Amino acid sequence: MTDFQSSKTKENLARSFAAECQEGARYQFLAKMAQQEGYQYMSMLIRTLAHNEMAHAQQFFNKIGELGGQNVQNIEITAGYPYRSGSLQETLLFEANNEQMSSDSIYPKFADIARDEGFKDVADLFDMVSKVEKTHQRTLEKLAEYLKTNTLYKSSSGEQAFKCDECGTIMLGKSAPKTCPLCQMGQGYFRIDFSIV
Protein backbone atom coordinates (compact mmCIF):
# COMPACT_ATOMS: atom_id res chain seq x y z
CA MET A 1 0.00 0.00 0.00
CA THR A 2 1.25 3.47 -0.90
CA ASP A 3 1.87 5.85 2.00
CA PHE A 4 -1.22 8.09 2.19
CA GLN A 5 0.77 11.30 2.71
CA SER A 6 2.63 10.85 -0.58
CA SER A 7 -0.26 9.27 -2.49
CA LYS A 8 -2.15 10.56 -5.49
CA THR A 9 -5.27 9.39 -3.64
CA LYS A 10 -4.76 12.08 -0.98
CA GLU A 11 -4.62 14.75 -3.68
CA ASN A 12 -7.65 13.29 -5.47
CA LEU A 13 -9.66 13.30 -2.24
CA ALA A 14 -8.73 16.95 -1.67
CA ARG A 15 -9.62 17.86 -5.25
CA SER A 16 -12.92 16.03 -4.91
CA PHE A 17 -13.70 17.75 -1.61
CA ALA A 18 -13.09 21.17 -3.19
CA ALA A 19 -15.05 20.31 -6.34
CA GLU A 20 -18.06 19.01 -4.41
CA CYS A 21 -18.10 22.14 -2.22
CA GLN A 22 -18.06 24.32 -5.32
CA GLU A 23 -20.74 22.24 -6.96
CA GLY A 24 -22.91 22.56 -3.86
CA ALA A 25 -22.51 26.34 -4.00
CA ARG A 26 -23.26 26.50 -7.73
CA TYR A 27 -26.43 24.45 -7.17
CA GLN A 28 -27.53 26.88 -4.46
CA PHE A 29 -27.11 29.71 -6.98
CA LEU A 30 -28.97 27.70 -9.63
CA ALA A 31 -31.79 26.94 -7.18
CA LYS A 32 -32.10 30.65 -6.46
CA MET A 33 -32.28 31.38 -10.19
CA ALA A 34 -35.04 28.78 -10.62
CA GLN A 35 -36.96 30.24 -7.69
CA GLN A 36 -36.64 33.78 -9.05
CA GLU A 37 -38.06 32.56 -12.35
CA GLY A 38 -41.05 31.05 -10.55
CA TYR A 39 -39.99 27.41 -10.54
CA GLN A 40 -40.33 26.64 -6.84
CA TYR A 41 -40.43 22.86 -7.16
CA MET A 42 -37.43 22.86 -9.52
CA SER A 43 -35.62 25.03 -6.99
CA MET A 44 -36.33 22.47 -4.26
CA LEU A 45 -35.02 19.63 -6.46
CA ILE A 46 -31.82 21.55 -7.17
CA ARG A 47 -31.38 22.36 -3.48
CA THR A 48 -31.55 18.62 -2.84
CA LEU A 49 -28.73 18.14 -5.35
CA ALA A 50 -26.74 20.83 -3.51
CA HIS A 51 -27.33 18.96 -0.26
CA ASN A 52 -26.14 15.73 -1.92
CA GLU A 53 -22.94 17.41 -3.11
CA MET A 54 -22.17 18.69 0.38
CA ALA A 55 -22.72 15.17 1.73
CA HIS A 56 -20.15 13.92 -0.81
CA ALA A 57 -17.75 16.69 0.26
CA GLN A 58 -18.17 15.59 3.88
CA GLN A 59 -17.29 12.00 2.98
CA PHE A 60 -14.14 13.07 1.11
CA PHE A 61 -13.17 15.38 3.98
CA ASN A 62 -13.73 12.61 6.53
CA LYS A 63 -11.69 10.14 4.51
CA ILE A 64 -8.72 12.55 4.41
CA GLY A 65 -8.88 12.87 8.20
CA GLU A 66 -9.32 9.14 8.70
CA LEU A 67 -6.31 8.21 6.57
CA GLY A 68 -4.08 11.20 7.26
CA GLY A 69 -4.93 11.95 10.87
CA GLN A 70 -3.13 14.86 12.51
CA ASN A 71 -0.43 14.78 9.82
CA VAL A 72 -2.68 16.51 7.27
CA GLN A 73 -2.44 20.26 7.79
CA ASN A 74 -2.67 21.65 4.27
CA ILE A 75 -3.01 19.98 0.90
CA GLU A 76 -1.82 21.90 -2.13
CA ILE A 77 -3.94 21.20 -5.21
CA THR A 78 -4.10 22.70 -8.64
CA ALA A 79 -7.25 22.19 -10.63
CA GLY A 80 -9.61 24.02 -12.90
CA TYR A 81 -13.20 24.39 -11.74
CA PRO A 82 -16.18 24.91 -14.02
CA TYR A 83 -17.72 28.33 -14.28
CA ARG A 84 -20.58 29.36 -16.51
CA SER A 85 -23.33 31.90 -16.35
CA GLY A 86 -26.33 31.92 -18.63
CA SER A 87 -30.01 31.19 -18.76
CA LEU A 88 -31.62 28.64 -16.48
CA GLN A 89 -31.81 26.06 -19.26
CA GLU A 90 -28.20 26.67 -20.34
CA THR A 91 -26.95 26.38 -16.78
CA LEU A 92 -28.89 23.15 -16.20
CA LEU A 93 -27.23 21.63 -19.29
CA PHE A 94 -23.81 22.94 -18.27
CA GLU A 95 -24.15 21.34 -14.83
CA ALA A 96 -25.45 18.11 -16.40
CA ASN A 97 -22.27 17.99 -18.49
CA ASN A 98 -20.15 18.51 -15.35
CA GLU A 99 -21.97 15.66 -13.66
CA GLN A 100 -21.35 13.44 -16.67
CA MET A 101 -17.62 14.18 -16.55
CA SER A 102 -17.55 13.34 -12.85
CA SER A 103 -19.54 10.12 -13.23
CA ASP A 104 -18.04 8.82 -16.47
CA SER A 105 -14.45 9.97 -16.27
CA ILE A 106 -13.11 11.75 -13.19
CA TYR A 107 -14.37 9.57 -10.32
CA PRO A 108 -13.79 6.25 -12.12
CA LYS A 109 -10.21 7.37 -12.80
CA PHE A 110 -9.77 8.41 -9.15
CA ALA A 111 -11.20 5.03 -8.07
CA ASP A 112 -8.68 3.18 -10.26
CA ILE A 113 -5.80 5.18 -8.79
CA ALA A 114 -7.02 4.54 -5.23
CA ARG A 115 -7.32 0.81 -5.97
CA ASP A 116 -3.81 0.74 -7.48
CA GLU A 117 -2.42 2.51 -4.41
CA GLY A 118 -4.12 0.06 -2.06
CA PHE A 119 -7.01 2.23 -0.82
CA LYS A 120 -9.96 -0.03 -1.63
CA ASP A 121 -12.35 1.85 0.68
CA VAL A 122 -11.54 5.13 -1.08
CA ALA A 123 -12.02 3.45 -4.47
CA ASP A 124 -15.43 2.22 -3.29
CA LEU A 125 -16.30 5.75 -2.14
CA PHE A 126 -15.41 7.21 -5.55
CA ASP A 127 -17.46 4.49 -7.26
CA MET A 128 -20.52 5.18 -5.10
CA VAL A 129 -20.34 8.96 -5.60
CA SER A 130 -19.91 8.38 -9.33
CA LYS A 131 -23.26 6.56 -9.45
CA VAL A 132 -25.02 9.41 -7.64
CA GLU A 133 -23.50 11.96 -10.03
CA LYS A 134 -25.00 9.99 -12.93
CA THR A 135 -28.47 10.39 -11.39
CA HIS A 136 -27.79 14.12 -10.99
CA GLN A 137 -26.86 14.32 -14.67
CA ARG A 138 -30.15 12.70 -15.69
CA THR A 139 -32.20 14.95 -13.38
CA LEU A 140 -30.58 18.12 -14.74
CA GLU A 141 -30.98 16.99 -18.35
CA LYS A 142 -34.65 16.20 -17.78
CA LEU A 143 -35.30 19.58 -16.17
CA ALA A 144 -33.58 21.34 -19.09
CA GLU A 145 -35.65 19.30 -21.55
CA TYR A 146 -38.88 20.20 -19.73
CA LEU A 147 -37.95 23.87 -19.90
CA LYS A 148 -37.06 23.69 -23.58
CA THR A 149 -40.27 21.90 -24.55
CA ASN A 150 -42.44 23.85 -22.10
CA THR A 151 -43.66 20.59 -20.54
CA LEU A 152 -42.59 21.13 -16.94
CA TYR A 153 -46.22 21.51 -15.88
CA LYS A 154 -47.95 19.47 -18.56
CA SER A 155 -48.69 15.78 -18.75
CA SER A 156 -47.48 13.93 -21.80
CA SER A 157 -49.89 11.05 -21.13
CA GLY A 158 -53.33 12.55 -20.67
CA GLU A 159 -54.74 13.50 -17.28
CA GLN A 160 -52.23 13.64 -14.45
CA ALA A 161 -52.25 14.52 -10.74
CA PHE A 162 -50.42 17.75 -9.90
CA LYS A 163 -49.65 18.54 -6.26
CA CYS A 164 -49.01 21.97 -4.77
CA ASP A 165 -45.98 21.68 -2.52
CA GLU A 166 -47.06 24.70 -0.50
CA CYS A 167 -50.44 23.45 0.77
CA GLY A 168 -50.78 19.89 -0.56
CA THR A 169 -53.71 20.50 -2.91
CA ILE A 170 -53.91 17.87 -5.66
CA MET A 171 -55.47 18.79 -8.98
CA LEU A 172 -56.19 16.42 -11.85
CA GLY A 173 -55.70 17.66 -15.40
CA LYS A 174 -53.48 17.77 -18.45
CA SER A 175 -51.49 20.59 -16.87
CA ALA A 176 -50.96 22.17 -13.49
CA PRO A 177 -53.17 25.16 -12.75
CA LYS A 178 -51.63 28.63 -13.16
CA THR A 179 -52.37 29.28 -9.48
CA CYS A 180 -53.37 26.98 -6.65
CA PRO A 181 -57.07 27.34 -5.84
CA LEU A 182 -56.38 26.88 -2.11
CA CYS A 183 -53.24 28.86 -1.29
CA GLN A 184 -52.97 31.00 -4.45
CA MET A 185 -49.32 30.05 -5.05
CA GLY A 186 -48.12 30.06 -8.65
CA GLN A 187 -47.72 27.13 -10.99
CA GLY A 188 -44.06 26.82 -9.99
CA TYR A 189 -45.14 25.25 -6.71
CA PHE A 190 -46.75 22.29 -8.48
CA ARG A 191 -45.16 18.97 -9.36
CA ILE A 192 -46.45 15.79 -10.90
CA ASP A 193 -47.69 13.58 -8.08
CA PHE A 194 -46.93 9.95 -8.86
CA SER A 195 -48.67 8.69 -5.71
CA ILE A 196 -52.08 9.12 -7.37
CA VAL A 197 -52.82 6.33 -9.82
Side-chain angles (χ1 to χ4, degrees), residues 43 51 62:
S43 176
H51 181 80
N62 291 350

PDB file of all heavy atoms in Angstrom, residues 43 51 62:
ATOM      1  N   SER A  43     -36.572  24.484  -7.950  1.00  0.00           N
ATOM      2  CA  SER A  43     -35.622  25.028  -6.992  1.00  0.00           C
ATOM      3  C   SER A  43     -35.392  24.047  -5.845  1.00  0.00           C
ATOM      4  O   SER A  43     -34.249  23.812  -5.428  1.00  0.00           O
ATOM      5  CB  SER A  43     -36.136  26.369  -6.458  1.00  0.00           C
ATOM      6  OG  SER A  43     -35.270  26.867  -5.468  1.00  0.00           O
ATOM      7  N   HIS A  51     -27.494  19.689  -1.518  1.00  0.00           N
ATOM      8  CA  HIS A  51     -27.332  18.959  -0.255  1.00  0.00           C
ATOM      9  C   HIS A  51     -26.548  17.659  -0.483  1.00  0.00           C
ATOM     10  O   HIS A  51     -25.657  17.316   0.303  1.00  0.00           O
ATOM     11  CB  HIS A  51     -28.709  18.674   0.351  1.00  0.00           C
ATOM     12  CG  HIS A  51     -28.653  17.955   1.643  1.00  0.00           C
ATOM     13  ND1 HIS A  51     -28.383  18.581   2.839  1.00  0.00           N
ATOM     14  CD2 HIS A  51     -28.816  16.636   1.937  1.00  0.00           C
ATOM     15  CE1 HIS A  51     -28.383  17.692   3.808  1.00  0.00           C
ATOM     16  NE2 HIS A  51     -28.647  16.504   3.291  1.00  0.00           N
ATOM     17  N   ASN A  62     -13.891  13.603   5.469  1.00  0.00           N
ATOM     18  CA  ASN A  62     -13.732  12.614   6.533  1.00  0.00           C
ATOM     19  C   ASN A  62     -12.665  11.583   6.189  1.00  0.00           C
ATOM     20  O   ASN A  62     -11.892  11.161   7.055  1.00  0.00           O
ATOM     21  CB  ASN A  62     -15.050  11.894   6.812  1.00  0.00           C
ATOM     22  CG  ASN A  62     -16.086  12.792   7.463  1.00  0.00           C
ATOM     23  OD1 ASN A  62     -15.793  13.903   7.891  1.00  0.00           O
ATOM     24  ND2 ASN A  62     -17.313  12.320   7.508  1.00  0.00           N
TER      25      ASN A  62
END
